[in-house]
């Protein structure tokens, strides 16, 4: 599933593909990627791309003539470039360029979203304005991360994935960052120290840098696709050995998503356990209603 690094790779590819070229024709199929009324507006997206920006998982394209496009890749969407006439499976929209190439938006599961709007309105779209801090374009330090996430009552990983707090973090890279920082996904943000926030901010950047190194290229392959190779350190490695210590990686359901972690490298510390018990005693309900494994303090 595309998250911030994959969307940034898409932005860089589009920027390179469109540079020095004109879109001579834009076309789209009447799928749920578009509302019917938007199709005529999409066909007006011709000429040169004047700006190609990103906020979280959203791509924002501005073209000459004042036209603009907001694009969200959804769960399986991606942009690919092929020569004119070369078929692309699940192509939902196409930009025909003056150099004989076509940039396709391929989306097998149809969860992607494209919205043609005037370029001047792109950053005013409610879905864009609602986003939190972007780790790449706005920077992300320990204090900034604490300010964005620290007041959340949710589990740490769930809070990190709240797009209104940190834009672009998804299930994969949140799990990877927490593993790098040695923090249990079910910790409560209020139990983290300033050093914890600093380490976590650095871990988020490290997880992104790793993704760029491993995935950047014209044809990105998502982990769920056939033939992909899992190069992540903890995500998707349940029941296998931890890459750091060899302990069996565990998983549980958290916020409706599968969370992977190493119980030895990411202990649920007693300070977090005490905070959870305090919240429950105060009548606030369980600290993590969907958490699967219980703290294993007796084993540590």
């Amino acid at each position: 599933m595309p998250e911030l690094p994959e969307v940034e790779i898409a932005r860089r590819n589009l920027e390179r593909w469109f540079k020095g070229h004109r879109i001579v024709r834009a076309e789209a199929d009447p799928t749920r990627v578009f509302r019917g009324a938007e199709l005529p507006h999409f066909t007006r997206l011709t000429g040169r791309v004047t700006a190609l920006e990103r906020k979280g998982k959203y791509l924002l394209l501005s073209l000459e003539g004042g036209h603009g496009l907001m694009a969200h890749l959804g769960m399986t969407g991606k942009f690919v470039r092929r020569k004119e006439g070369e078929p692309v499976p699940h192509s939902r929209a196409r930009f025909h360029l003056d150099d004989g190439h076509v940039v396709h938006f391929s989306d097998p599961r149809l969860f992607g979203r494209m919205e043609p709007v005037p370029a001047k309105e792109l950053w005013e779209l409610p879905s864009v304005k609602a986003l939190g801090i972007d780790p790449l374009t706005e920077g992300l330090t320990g204090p900034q991360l604490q300010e964005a996430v620290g007041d959340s009552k949710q589990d740490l990983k769930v809070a990190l994935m709240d797009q209104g707090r940190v834009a672009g973090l998804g299930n994969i890279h949140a799990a990877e960052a927490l593993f790098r920082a040695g923090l249990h996904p079910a910790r409560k943000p209020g139990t983290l120290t300033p050093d914890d926030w600093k380490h976590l901010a650095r871990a988020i950047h490290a997880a992104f840098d790793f993704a760029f190194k491993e995935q950047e290229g014209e044809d990105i392959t998502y982990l769920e696709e056939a033939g992909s190779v899992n190069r992540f350190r903890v995500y998707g490695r349940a029941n296998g050995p931890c890459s750091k210590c060899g302990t069996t990686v565990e998983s549980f359901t958290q916020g409706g998503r599968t969370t992977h972690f190493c119980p030895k490298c990411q202990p649920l510390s007693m300070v977090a356990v005490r905070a959870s018990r305090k919240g429950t005693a105060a009548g606030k309900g369980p600290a993590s209603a969907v958490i699967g494994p219980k703290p294993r303090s007796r084993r540590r």
Side-chain angles (χ1 to χ4, degrees):
M1 179 185 296
E3 299 179 16
L4 186 151
E6 292 78 22
V7 180
E8 174 60 19
I9 290 171
R11 189 200 68 79
R12 295 174 185 179
N13 283 338
L14 289 172
E15 191 172 59
R16 183 170 61 254
W17 296 338
F18 287 140
K19 186 176 181 179
H21 300 292
R22 297 177 61 84
I23 299 172
V24 296
R25 188 169 82 257
E27 58 187 18
D29 300 333
T31 65
R32 66 182 180 185
V33 175
F34 299 90
R35 298 188 185 94
E38 293 175 346
L39 289 175
H41 295 282
F42 186 85
T43 62
R44 300 173 188 171
L45 300 176
T46 58
R48 296 186 184 277
V49 175
T50 58
L52 222 165
E53 301 169 286
R54 180 194 55 75
K55 174 79 173 186
K57 302 178 187 180
Y58 288 85
L59 290 166
L60 307 174
L61 289 74
S62 298
L63 293 89
E64 58 188 9
H67 300 297
L69 177 71
M70 180 277 286
H72 191 285
L73 303 183
M75 295 181 66
T76 58
K78 64 173 67 177
F79 287 97
V80 298
R81 184 180 66 159
R82 298 290 185 266
K83 291 183 179 180
E84 189 78 46
E86 188 174 344
V88 172
H90 312 293
S91 176
R92 311 302 183 187
R94 294 158 292 282
F95 297 101
H96 297 260
L97 305 183
D98 60 6
D99 67 347
H101 284 91
V102 182
V103 176
H104 297 256
F105 179 65
S106 173
D107 187 10
R109 297 185 64 182
L110 290 169
F111 285 103
R113 180 84 183 95
M114 287 190 171
E115 185 175 348
V117 296
K120 63 182 180 181
E121 297 179 11
L122 284 170
W123 288 93
E124 297 303 314
L125 290 171
S127 55
V128 176
K129 290 187 69 175
L131 296 172
I133 187 170
D134 186 294
L136 290 188
T137 60
E138 298 172 279
L140 186 68
T141 64
Q144 287 175 315
L145 184 59
Q146 182 176 7
E147 181 179 359
V149 180
D151 65 344
S152 175
K153 304 304 180 184
Q154 296 177 303
D155 288 352
L156 181 57
K157 178 169 170 283
V158 177
L160 289 173
M161 293 171 58
D162 182 343
Q163 299 302 295
R165 295 179 181 275
V166 181
L169 264 180
N171 194 33
I172 295 176
H173 298 295
E176 290 292 296
L178 289 168
F179 176 72
R180 289 171 180 269
L183 296 171
H184 195 286
R187 284 278 298 271
K188 293 300 179 184
T191 69
L192 270 62
T193 68
D195 280 344
D196 288 333
W197 290 112
K198 185 186 301 182
H199 293 321
L200 181 54
R202 290 175 178 172
I204 290 171
H205 288 293
F208 287 167
D209 289 342
F210 177 82
F212 288 132
K213 180 181 178 181
E214 293 294 326
Q215 300 182 98
E216 193 152 20
E218 287 216 355
D219 286 338
I220 190 170
T221 301
Y222 298 145
L223 191 57
E224 295 81 3
E225 295 183 75
S228 65
V229 178
N230 184 2
R231 296 185 174 88
F232 295 110
R233 295 187 175 185
V234 73
Y235 178 82
R237 298 196 176 279
N239 303 316
C242 171
S243 59
K244 286 184 180 180
C245 70
T247 301
T248 300
V249 173
E250 298 182 3
S251 66
F252 64 99
T253 302
Q254 188 180 35
R257 308 294 297 277
T258 300
T259 288
H260 300 85
F261 74 105
C262 172
K264 183 175 181 181
C265 296
Q266 299 169 263
L268 186 58
S269 65
M270 286 310 299
V271 64
V273 173
R274 285 193 294 269
S276 298
R277 290 173 178 169
K278 182 178 179 182
T280 303
K284 300 177 181 179
S288 177
V290 294
I291 184 171
K294 297 179 180 179
R296 302 181 177 183
S297 56
R298 289 182 293 178
R299 290 176 53 186
R300 298 186 182 92

